[in-house]
Amino acid sequence: MATRPIIEYPTPVLLSPGEPVVNFDGELEALVQDMFDTMYDAGGVGLAAQQIGVPLRLFVMDCDGIRLVAANPEIISVEGEQSGEEGCLSVGKVPADLKRPDRAVLRAQDLMGKTFEREANGLAARCFLHETDHCDGILFIRHLSPLRRDLVTRKFRKMKKER
Ligand SMILES: [Zn+2]
């Protein structure tokens, strides 16, 4: 088991799009293993490579019965709306209410480079959207109103000081 430090807001690697994954090799496999280890250790349900400082379009998740690795993910369709709380390991898990589509279809490549599509709703759909956003350099707080975003980042800064 190898965990890696989680990179936190506002580190620049979190705020720029990742590079496409092109090598589906043992190195990628080892990286993905570290990502799962880091995610489980932190009590998260999803983790993008940027969050451990690796600027690749890659995420892992284990959320609501869906455990997968997604390289070069894209959201190909969304439907409906859900409300609920969302948080991010890179923003100290400070929760905020955020409306998201209720259903999402993810297209990505697995560890072998094979393209797959997966549909989810509820929490798992939220996870698809949150993690794919990470790969595009977008944190969930960017979807909040300026006031709410400020509230979350202030809470997070305070938390960091008290650590
Ligand atoms: Zn996140």
Side-chain angles (χ1 to χ4, degrees), residues 44-130:
V45 293
L47 185 84
Q50 267 110 325
Q51 293 181 276
I52 54 167
V54 178
L56 281 178
R57 299 183 57 81
L58 175 71
F59 75 76
V60 299
M61 70 177 261
D62 188 347
C63 177
D64 215 13
I66 298 183
R67 183 184 192 275
L68 56 78
V69 176
N72 305 319
E74 40 179 339
I75 299 296
I76 56 172
S77 75
V78 293
E79 210 180 270
E81 189 180 85
Q82 61 171 310
S83 27
E85 277 190 339
E86 196 164 319
C88 179
L89 293 175
S90 292
V91 196
K93 293 195 206 166
V94 177
D97 285 325
L98 177 61
K99 281 197 171 69
R100 291 277 199 182
D102 184 50
R103 196 187 70 89
V105 180
L106 171 78
R107 180 186 292 156
Q109 286 166 277
D110 66 14
L111 265 180
M112 313 305 290
K114 192 172 174 291
T115 300
F116 67 91
E117 284 179 17
R118 189 80 196 253
E119 186 182 327
N121 54 30
L123 205 58
R126 186 179 284 277
C127 198
F128 281 177
L129 295 158
H130 180 111

